[in-house]
Amino acid sequence: MKKISDYLYELKAHQLYSGELPKDSDLVSPCADSRFADNKSLFFSENPAHLHDAYSRGCRFFVTESSWLESSAKIFKSPARKSFSLLAHFDHGYAFKKFKFIGVTGTNGKTTTSWLINHLLRCNKKKSCLLGTVEFRINDEVFEATH
């Protein structure tokens, strides 16, 4: 868990929040599903029903651009979806920057092309992860894809 001020500072650095940083801030955990919100959550949503549900579960810290308001809630004005995504990366040390991604798009041949790319990488002793509709491969481990 991090302090609210840590999260807001990160949002400010990416120009997603322009408000004040709290001097004394509580330890919180980011949350975007109101069913799991509690008094240690920093909740992200634009949906008033979800904001109210999180509030009823004890959450008092919210990131939203919604005009929803409860008297004891602390609202930090910022786009919820974009902010939550950024802070998920922040919480995990921007791990995506350590990886190279290859996306295969189009109408036909995506699975075959993905398999060939994965095979070439593995033949060249590279670590590889294949996510597809048939199966998932992480290096040499294979997992069935469930729909």
Side-chain angles (χ1 to χ4, degrees):
M1 283 212 273
K2 292 183 171 63
K3 292 181 177 183
I4 291 174
S5 56
D6 296 333
Y7 289 119
L8 295 178
Y9 182 82
E10 192 67 13
L11 291 177
K12 217 174 229 231
H14 289 85
Q15 296 155 356
L16 289 172
Y17 176 70
S18 60
E20 298 277 323
L21 293 176
K23 290 179 178 45
D24 297 329
S25 68
D26 297 305
L27 290 174
V28 292
S29 190
C31 179
D33 186 331
S34 61
R35 296 170 297 177
F36 301 110
D38 62 20
N39 65 335
K40 293 291 184 192
S41 297
L42 176 60
F43 187 70
F44 295 76
S45 182
E46 300 300 346
N47 183 317
H50 296 165
L51 293 164
H52 180 73
D53 187 39
Y55 183 84
S56 71
R57 295 171 190 272
C59 182
R60 295 299 178 262
F61 305 106
F62 300 86
V63 174
T64 185
E65 288 184 312
S66 169
S67 58
W68 174 86
L69 184 62
E70 289 285 345
S71 59
S72 62
K74 179 65 180 155
I75 309 290
F76 303 104
K77 291 286 187 185
S78 182
R81 213 176 263 173
K82 193 170 187 177
S83 299
F84 186 74
S85 173
L86 173 75
L87 295 182
H89 291 302
F90 173 63
D91 258 359
H92 294 93
Y94 293 99
F96 71 93
K97 292 182 178 182
K98 300 172 189 167
F99 300 99
K100 292 189 182 349
F101 293 89
I102 300 171
V104 179
T105 64
T107 305
N108 297 310
K110 294 180 293 295
T111 299
T112 301
T113 303
S114 300
W115 277 61
L116 287 169
I117 292 169
N118 184 64
H119 180 72
L120 289 169
L121 290 169
R122 296 302 297 144
C123 284
N124 285 288
K125 309 283 190 242
K126 302 288 184 188
K127 291 181 180 178
S128 175
C129 177
L130 170 70
L131 303 174
T133 56
V134 177
E135 64 186 20
F136 303 148
R137 289 179 174 257
I138 301 173
N139 295 319
D140 293 324
E141 289 187 71
V142 179
F143 305 92
E144 182 182 344
T146 57
H147 303 285

